[in-house]
């Protein structure tokens, strides 16, 4: 076997081209040798294992839980239900708003989505906890569930006034435009699905809590634990040595985190709780499913006169998430008339959450597809129509961009991908057996300026 | 192995050979190799991603061949040679060519799939299935990477395969 | 996973005796059994580990026939030089199945015992009704999300798709499975659900798969396995076809042809109607496409799996035409 000296290979290139060069990661050697210990891989004396029991209905009430078989199963230390888990205090939300309720129970009596945690088993070994969890018997009073956005029972939802953005008279300008397109775009629920599942180890020493948990927001998560258990913030130590992928999902202390910390307190032993793979799809929210219509009115030469945008995203029965569907729509192209409005619809799902570019992703998808429809309708090249409608300034604020190099990006893209040779005609391009298509696509991440000193206090 | 059927008690006493070292374990028959490594032997380099044979994060070598530790019972591999990511580098710390190539090509971000990717890649090259980028992609398909480091992973496997051939 | 006892069988007699015990299940590669035990579908009282039995993993291939031991690993058979040259469809079906790791674990005998991937079958907690798991409990898939479900060989009791690849190639080439006391055609070894969805294989307590035998033929030598799926690799078939072709000396008239479908039926699905329509005919695209359409006569869809009825004949045609191009 060839002996490869990593130190030289990595650091030589680093010295030669430090800026823009291929630097090896600081934590690289630990990760490629298996030495890197992720949060819930810590070894603790007396560690116990917790496994959750999820609801098998999407809506209704838990009427009874029979824990007897689980309690007498080998190795079981505790079976927690809404009736037996210790009461926690309500905690403030992501923005620091105080809780609506003074108490919090992370195990549900009222079920609002399938897979919601209703019980938990703690045992000496992982295998014992898994087996005993399967013995917990739960009875429900099931009620009809709203399955998704397209469910007939879902309704039109709740208007989110703060998302309305309008200038000019978009409806009238659209009606008067000589060329009009209107199209609907749906995006499904999308999941973060990090390789490392969500999970943690919780250990109490007196009223001091140590949590080993992958976290994208150490302080915020620690604050939540402190509030749940009514201990000073300083008493909570959150250890997150590595994050095995988070993609927005690992920024909050979640119901399963509360269960583990409560179990550790009740048993006075460290508890490890790791969501299994199916639970990683129901214990925290991915990007909300969305539905939007984009109507564009334009002149025959392709100049946009109006954009009318209507969006809807799903949220939970007992939680609010607004996926800002108009965030890209309003600043991509110059238009004298614009209207964007958004509703949210409650469905029986775990509350959606942040996932890589929240809002920008489905928003860009809608407007960019619609622009292609307009180009096709007019017989104008898809790149050309983007340049015809190039926004020389922020179309809403009418202020100059701090930086915008979209023209240069389009030119580079045209050269790299050869868009000019591609046909927008449906089913006109093939690669072997596959039908393919291509077109220029742009997006942006609105970097709205906000004063930050509240968060960054100098020493 | 003798010709007799061995009927186990609730707890089995087994010996596993891992990275050349012998380990004695008292475990239930249902304990997987993955949980034996991570929870009993504290060899946590082998990762648990899906625990159902779909992500490849738990890839280890048994008698030199890559397998999934999450669908292997620990008891089943008694008498076999098990190699994990912790046993891949030489005793003096010299990295395996694949490990070095992963560093050099920046073939990971979060690192959670990485031990499985590396164990899989070592076997992929040894099997002779790293002859082209297309072949590497096909024969590395059992290892998922959610950060999207795939192009760099292919580059790392290609580089290591070339080094090992020369 | 429920606790179980573990028995390591030292030889085949011990395995047979133990396999007759109530609640006993054989463990070879473990890729089906351990997976289903984790899902709560398989609840063995005793697991009989046969993976240490020696002499059951031989791969013996001649022009006349291939004899493959039940414990031969999928990867070893896929990479076997003689299998590649004399039974290419078998090799291609194997290397396009699962992942490299799973193919190193899974055995040929275990592959035949692979269970359906029907998501309702695999989730007893959320879907108690499943005729395959619990006879007469109902079918959660009918009326559910059916994109992956079968359109051929379905019954009112079950529409679960047979998910494997290898067996599709085996039924195309009249392979037999040796159970020790008896031998039967692989095609007959698999059972369509009918009213007894819980019976997937014609195998009795105490029987152990010993070998699989594939007769050699000109069609097997000129064969291929085409698999179409939602992603390029590491995925079950949306539709697949194992096809073997033998032409007359004129180089265009079909003397012998074998066609079997995967991913669309409740068992590995030989389509003799297509074979009969093509034997003696000239190999041209129009004839092939017309004949391939016969494969889905009588197909029944359940909504989202409707596309399989259009897809299956195209996969067959692609496989036949691909073979026609290889002189």
């Amino acid at each position: 076997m060839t002996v490869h000296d990593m130190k030289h290979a990595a650091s030589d290139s680093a010295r030669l081209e430090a800026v823009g060069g291929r630097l090896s990661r600081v934590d690289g050697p630990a990760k490629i040798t298996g030495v890197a210990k992720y949060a819930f891989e810590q070894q603790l004396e007396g560690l116990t294992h917790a496994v959750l029991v999820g609801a098998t209905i999407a809506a209704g009430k838990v009427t009874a839980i029979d824990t007897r078989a689980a309690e007498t199963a080998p190795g079981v230390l505790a079976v927690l239900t809404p009736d037996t888990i210790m009461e926690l205090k309500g905690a403030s939300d992501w923005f620091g708003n105080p809780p609506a309720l003074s108490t919090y129970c992370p195990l549900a009596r009222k079920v609002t989505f399938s897979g919601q945690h209703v019980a938990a088993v703690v045992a000496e070994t992982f295998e014992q906890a898994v087996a005993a969890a399967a013995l917990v018997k739960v009875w429900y009073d099931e009620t009809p569930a709203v399955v998704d956005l397209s469910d007939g029972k879902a309704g039109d939802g709740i208007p989110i006034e703060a998302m309305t953005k309008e200038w000019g008279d978009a409806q009238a300008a659209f009606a008067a435009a000589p060329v009009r397109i209107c199209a609907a775009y749906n995006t499904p629920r999308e999941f973060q699905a990090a390789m490392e599942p969500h999970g943690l180890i919780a250990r109490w020493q007196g009223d001091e809590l140590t949590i080993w948990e992958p976290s994208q927001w150490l302080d915020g998560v620690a604050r939540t634990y402190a509030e749940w258990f009514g201990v000073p913030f300083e008493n909570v130590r959150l250890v997150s040595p590595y994050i095995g992928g988070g993609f927005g999902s690992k920024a909050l202390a979640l119901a399963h985190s509360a269960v583990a910390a409560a179990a550790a307190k009740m048993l006075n032993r460290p508890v490890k709780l790791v969501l299994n793979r199916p639970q990683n799809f129901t214990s925290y929210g991915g990007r909300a499913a969305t539905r939007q219509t984009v109507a564009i009115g334009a002149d025959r030469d392709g100049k946009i006169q109006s954009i009318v945008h209507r969006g809807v995203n799903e949220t939970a029965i007992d939680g609010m998430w607004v996926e800002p569907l108009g965030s890209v729509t309003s600043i991509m192209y110059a238009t004298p008339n614009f209207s964007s409005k958004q509703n949210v619809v409650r469905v029986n799902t775990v509350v959606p959450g942040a996932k890589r570019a929240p809002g920008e992703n489905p928003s860009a998808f809608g407007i960019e597809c619609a622009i292609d429809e307009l180009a096709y309708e007019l017989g104008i090249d898809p790149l050309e129509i983007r340049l015809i409608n190039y926004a020389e300034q922020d179309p809403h604020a009418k202020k100059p961009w701090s930086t915008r190099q979209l023209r240069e990006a389009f030119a580079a893209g045209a050269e790299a991908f050869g868009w000019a040779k591609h046909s927008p005609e449906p089913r006109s391009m093939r690669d072997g057996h596959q039908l393919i298509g291509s077109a220029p696509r742009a997006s942006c991440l609105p970097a709205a300026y906000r004063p930050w000193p509240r968060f960054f206090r100098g020493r | 192995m003798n010709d007799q059927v061995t009927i186990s008690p609730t707890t089995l006493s087994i010996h596993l050979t891992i990275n050349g070292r012998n380990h004695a374990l008292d475990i239930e028959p249902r304990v997987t190799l993955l949980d034996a490594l991570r929870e009993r032997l504290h060899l946590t380099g082998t990762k648990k991603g899906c625990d159902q044979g779909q992500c490849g994060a738990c890839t280890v070598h048994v008698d030199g061949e890559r397998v999934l530790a999450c669908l292997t019972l620990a008891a089943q591999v008694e008498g076999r040679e098990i190699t994990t990511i912790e046993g891949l580098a030489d005793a003096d710390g010299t990295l395996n060519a694949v490990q070095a190539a992963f560093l050099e090509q920046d073939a990971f971000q979060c690192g959670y799939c990485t031990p499985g990717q590396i164990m899989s890649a070592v076997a992929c090259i040894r099997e002779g299935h790293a002859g082209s980028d297309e072949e590497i992609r096909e024969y590395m398909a059992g290892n998922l990477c959610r950060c999207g480091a795939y192009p760099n992973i292919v580059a790392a496997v290609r580089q290591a395969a070339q080094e090992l051939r020369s | 996973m429920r606790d179980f006892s573990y028995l390591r069988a030292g030889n085949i007699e011990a395995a047979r005796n133990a396999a007759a015990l109530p609640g006993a299940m054989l463990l070879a590669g473990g890729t089906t059994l351990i997976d289903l035990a984790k899902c709560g579908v398989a609840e063995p009282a005793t697991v009989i580990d046969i993976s240490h039995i020696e002499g059951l993993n031989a791969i013996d291939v001649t022009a006349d026939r291939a004899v493959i031991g039940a414990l031969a690993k999928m990867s070893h058979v896929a990479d076997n030089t003689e299998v590649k040259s004399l039974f290419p469809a078998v090799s291609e079906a194997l290397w396009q199945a699962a992942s490299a790791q799973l193919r190193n674990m899974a055995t040929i005998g275990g592959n035949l015992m692979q269970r359906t991937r029907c998501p309702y079958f695999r989730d007893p907690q959320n879907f108690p009704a499943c005729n395959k798991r619990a006879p007469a409990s109902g079918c959660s898939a009918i009326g559910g999300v059916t994109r992956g479900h079968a359109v051929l060989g379905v019954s009112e009791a079950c529409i679960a798709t047979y998910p494997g690849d290898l067996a599709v190639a085996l039924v195309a080439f009249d392979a037999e499975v040796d159970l020790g006391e008896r031998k039967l055609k692989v095609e007959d070894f698999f059972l369509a659900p009918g009213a007894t969805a819980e019976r997937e294989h014609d195998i009795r307590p105490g029987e152990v798969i010993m070998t699989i035998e594939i007769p050699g033929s000109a069609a097997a030598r000129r064969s291929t396995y085409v698999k179409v799926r939602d992603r390029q690799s590491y995925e079950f078939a949306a539709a697949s076809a194992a096809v073997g072709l033998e032409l007359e000396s004129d180089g265009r008239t079909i003397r012998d042809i074998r066609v079997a479908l995967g991913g669309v039926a409740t068992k590995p699905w030989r389509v003799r109607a297509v074979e009969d329509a093509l034997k003696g005919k000239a190999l041209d695209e129009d004839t092939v496409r017309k004949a391939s359409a016969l494969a889905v006569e009588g197909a029944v869809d359940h909504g989202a799996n409707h596309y399989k009825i259009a897809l299956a004949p195209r996969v067959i045609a692609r496989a036949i035409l691909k073979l026609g191009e290889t002189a």
Side-chain angles (χ1 to χ4, degrees):
Chain A
M1 183 173 291
T2 308
V3 177
H4 189 105
D5 186 343
M6 158 292 274
K7 290 192 201 81
H8 285 101
S11 58
D12 272 359
S13 63
R15 273 195 292 279
L16 285 172
E17 31 174 324
V19 175
R22 273 194 342 216
L23 300 179
S24 74
R25 292 166 189 274
V26 175
D27 52 5
K31 284 178 173 175
I32 56 148
T33 53
V35 170
K37 275 220 184 312
Y38 287 66
F40 51 73
E41 294 174 344
Q42 312 303 313
Q43 317 303 333
L44 296 181
E45 198 62 40
L47 186 64
T48 65
H49 298 261
V51 167
L52 294 159
V53 178
T56 57
I57 60 164
K61 278 191 304 213
V62 174
T63 54
I65 301 181
D66 184 350
T67 60
R68 285 169 298 180
E71 275 164 356
T72 54
V76 171
L77 300 166
V79 180
L80 305 178
T81 68
D83 292 331
T84 59
I85 192 168
M86 67 179 285
E87 189 177 271
L88 305 182
K89 295 180 172 60
S92 46
D93 69 9
W94 170 274
F95 300 103
N97 301 315
L101 298 171
S102 60
T103 63
Y104 172 58
C105 183
L107 298 172
R109 288 188 178 87
K110 181 189 164 209
V111 175
T112 60
F113 58 93
S114 175
Q116 192 170 8
H117 318 314
V118 295
V121 175
V122 190
E124 294 286 354
T125 71
F126 170 67
E127 292 78 15
Q128 289 167 337
V130 170
L135 299 175
V136 175
K137 206 159 162 33
V138 184
W139 283 267
Y140 303 96
D141 183 3
E142 190 174 2
T143 51
V146 178
V147 176
D148 58 22
L149 278 178
S150 60
D151 191 313
K153 298 186 290 299
D156 293 335
I158 309 155
I160 305 295
E161 296 300 342
M163 301 306 294
T164 299
K165 195 177 271 188
E166 296 189 298
W167 64 85
D169 187 343
Q171 299 282 10
F174 176 74
V179 179
R180 293 190 295 261
I181 65 105
C182 181
Y185 301 100
N186 300 339
T187 63
R189 185 66 162 258
E190 292 168 347
F191 299 92
Q192 294 93 353
M195 290 298 291
E196 177 199 41
H198 275 243
L200 69 153
I201 296 173
R203 182 185 66 187
W204 286 91
Q205 289 168 310
D207 63 352
E208 297 196 342
L209 172 63
T210 306
I211 300 281
W212 287 266
E213 184 173 24
S215 178
Q216 295 177 258
W217 190 27
L218 293 166
D219 269 25
V221 170
R223 181 187 72 192
T224 304
Y225 284 106
E227 292 181 18
W228 277 339
F229 291 94
V231 298
F233 175 77
E234 291 74 21
N235 286 23
V236 180
R237 182 168 163 249
L238 203 111
V239 187
S240 175
Y242 301 95
I243 302 178
F247 315 121
S249 74
K250 286 177 179 165
L252 294 173
L254 296 155
H256 68 267
S257 320
V259 171
K265 180 116 184 140
M266 292 170 72
L267 292 167
N268 197 27
R269 284 182 65 178
V271 171
K272 172 168 167 170
L273 188 156
V274 180
L275 299 179
N276 66 25
R277 188 46 61 176
Q279 288 167 346
N280 273 278
F281 293 88
T282 54
S283 302
Y284 52 92
R287 189 198 309 284
T290 73
R291 188 174 65 207
Q292 54 185 316
T293 56
V294 186
I296 307 180
D299 294 344
R300 296 215 178 274
D301 61 4
K303 192 93 182 144
I304 295 173
Q305 292 305 321
S306 177
I307 298 175
V308 181
H309 177 246
R310 295 290 178 266
V312 167
N313 77 264
E314 63 177 0
T315 191
I317 300 295
D318 57 357
M320 179 55 76
W321 179 264
V322 180
E323 187 78 14
L325 277 174
S327 62
V328 172
T329 323
S330 63
I331 63 169
M332 227 34 228
Y333 298 104
T335 177
N337 301 287
F338 182 85
S339 168
S340 176
K341 291 185 178 182
Q342 183 170 345
N343 284 13
V344 296
V345 169
R346 291 196 190 277
V347 307
N348 286 95
T349 180
V350 62
V351 62
K355 176 178 185 288
R356 284 195 158 176
E360 288 83 22
N361 184 319
S363 182
F365 169 64
I367 184 66
E368 285 294 287
C369 288
I371 287 289
D372 285 346
E373 295 290 345
L374 180 66
Y376 186 71
E377 179 72 23
L378 286 160
I380 296 176
D381 178 82
L383 178 55
E384 183 61 26
I385 202 155
R386 284 168 167 81
L387 296 173
I388 290 172
N389 293 290
Y390 195 84
E392 302 291 352
Q393 60 176 3
D394 181 330
H396 183 214
K398 309 275 190 293
K399 287 179 179 166
W401 304 111
S402 55
T403 319
R404 178 144 163 144
Q405 295 183 302
L406 188 55
R407 249 193 207 102
E408 292 83 345
F410 277 139
E415 168 123 12
F417 301 114
W419 288 323
K421 294 196 291 289
H422 294 175
S423 159
E425 190 70 29
R427 303 179 72 83
S428 64
M429 291 168 63
R430 274 177 182 274
D431 178 11
H433 292 295
Q434 313 280 338
L435 287 165
I436 60 168
S438 88
R441 280 294 151 82
S443 185
C444 62
L445 188 74
Y449 172 77
R450 265 200 289 172
W452 287 103
R454 195 161 72 84
F455 297 99
F456 290 92
R457 290 202 185 91
R459 274 201 294 175
Chain B
M1 297 308 124
N2 59 31
D3 286 353
Q4 299 303 307
V5 166
T6 320
I7 298 188
S8 80
T10 312
T11 302
L12 298 170
S13 292
I14 61 165
H15 291 266
L16 295 182
T17 310
I18 301 163
N19 302 328
R21 280 188 54 199
N22 187 33
H23 296 265
L25 277 174
D26 291 326
I27 52 162
E28 292 178 332
R30 62 184 166 186
V31 174
T32 62
L33 175 59
L34 178 59
D35 290 319
L37 290 170
R38 288 171 62 83
E39 303 294 340
R40 275 79 177 178
L41 300 168
H42 308 318
L43 290 167
T44 54
T46 306
K47 301 302 181 194
K48 184 186 276 193
C50 71
D51 207 22
Q52 54 189 51
Q54 298 183 7
C55 79
C58 67
T59 302
V60 298
H61 295 176
V62 171
D63 287 347
E65 296 198 325
R66 49 176 159 163
V67 302
L68 299 177
C70 74
L71 294 184
T72 302
L73 293 182
Q76 199 181 354
V77 288
E78 193 174 23
R80 314 280 196 208
E81 291 284 339
I82 301 154
T83 310
T84 70
I85 188 74
E86 290 93 343
L88 200 56
D90 290 348
D92 67 358
T94 306
L95 295 176
N96 177 288
V98 175
Q99 289 174 307
F102 265 64
L103 260 194
E104 206 178 324
Q105 296 292 341
D106 199 23
F108 56 95
Q109 284 185 42
C110 84
Y112 201 79
C113 74
T114 310
Q117 299 277 2
I118 291 173
M119 295 308 288
S120 196
V122 169
C124 179
I125 295 167
R126 196 187 288 149
E127 290 158 12
H129 288 310
S132 66
D133 285 6
E134 193 184 4
E135 194 180 22
I136 291 168
R137 281 194 286 269
E138 172 62 39
Y139 281 85
M140 289 294 290
N143 291 84
L144 306 188
C145 165
R146 187 62 174 154
C147 298
Y150 292 114
N152 298 22
I153 292 169
V154 172
V157 179
R158 183 201 310 131
Q159 174 183 322
Q162 282 163 357
E163 283 173 16
L164 292 168
R165 266 197 300 270
S166 63
Chain C
M1 212 188 305
R2 201 175 91 169
D3 202 8
F4 48 74
S5 344
Y6 171 83
L7 279 69
R8 189 179 297 153
N11 59 44
I12 195 66
E13 286 70 35
R16 279 216 190 87
N17 292 337
L21 296 171
M25 298 181 96
L26 298 184
L27 174 72
T31 56
T32 291
L33 180 58
I34 305 302
D35 178 38
L36 289 180
K38 286 184 177 187
C39 296
V41 174
E43 295 193 309
T46 306
V47 166
I48 305 145
D49 181 357
I50 58 171
S51 67
H52 291 255
I53 298 176
E54 292 185 5
L56 260 186
N57 61 353
I59 305 169
D60 185 10
V61 187
T62 64
D64 286 344
R65 60 177 198 161
V67 182
I68 302 169
L71 290 182
K73 298 291 167 71
M74 289 172 72
S75 58
H76 296 180
V77 181
D79 282 348
N80 182 281
T81 313
E82 283 78 30
V83 172
K84 281 190 197 168
S85 64
L86 297 171
F87 302 90
V90 172
S91 171
E92 290 170 22
L94 283 166
W95 74 252
Q96 291 181 73
S99 70
Q101 290 95 315
L102 290 164
R103 296 193 294 270
N104 279 341
M105 302 166 73
T107 64
I108 294 300
N111 184 278
L112 294 192
M113 300 302 292
Q114 180 182 13
R115 307 294 302 273
T116 182
R117 302 295 294 192
C118 170
Y120 300 99
F121 169 78
R122 288 172 59 82
D123 190 354
Q125 288 275 345
N126 283 294
F127 302 100
C130 173
N131 290 321
K132 220 176 239 321
R133 272 197 324 258
S137 62
C139 174
S140 296
I142 295 174
V145 177
T146 58
R147 192 170 184 282
H149 286 84
V151 294
L152 291 165
V154 298
S155 71
E156 285 176 12
C158 183
I159 59 170
T161 302
Y162 172 74
D165 297 296
L166 170 67
V168 177
L170 294 180
V171 302
F173 301 105
D174 299 317
E176 290 186 315
V177 55
D178 183 349
L179 296 167
E181 299 293 308
R182 62 193 182 112
K183 261 187 195 181
L184 63 168
K185 286 256 169 86
V186 171
E187 194 178 1
D188 301 327
F189 179 71
F190 288 95
L191 306 172
T196 54
E198 72 281 5
R199 286 200 72 220
E200 283 179 16
H201 305 99
D202 183 358
I203 191 165
R204 301 162 192 163
E207 283 186 328
V208 177
I209 299 173
M210 303 293 291
T211 59
I212 289 163
E213 295 185 24
I214 321 168
S217 62
R221 282 193 293 280
R222 187 175 187 171
S223 68
T224 191
Y225 186 76
V226 171
K227 184 174 179 180
V228 174
R229 40 190 160 169
D230 282 345
R231 55 183 183 188
Q232 196 170 345
S233 184
Y234 197 13
E235 181 59 284
F236 295 93
S240 66
V243 170
L245 181 67
E246 184 190 1
L247 297 178
E248 300 286 0
S249 53
D250 63 5
R252 55 188 299 271
T253 308
I254 297 170
R255 178 185 292 168
D256 186 15
I257 183 159
R258 315 291 183 88
V259 181
L261 277 171
V264 296
T266 53
K267 57 177 271 186
W269 198 256
R270 180 86 176 258
V271 273
R272 290 192 175 78
V274 178
E275 298 175 5
D276 293 343
L278 285 170
K279 277 180 198 161
K281 301 277 164 50
L283 180 72
D284 67 70
E285 180 164 353
D286 193 45
T287 310
V288 166
R289 291 204 181 274
K290 280 201 181 101
S292 300
L294 299 172
V296 287
E297 281 203 344
V300 178
D301 75 81
H302 285 79
N305 60 350
H306 181 73
Y307 74 98
K308 287 181 187 262
I309 297 175
L311 181 60
R314 292 181 193 172
V315 176
I316 293 173
R318 186 185 290 182
I320 297 172
L321 294 170
K322 179 181 149 192
L323 286 177
E325 287 163 12
T326 61

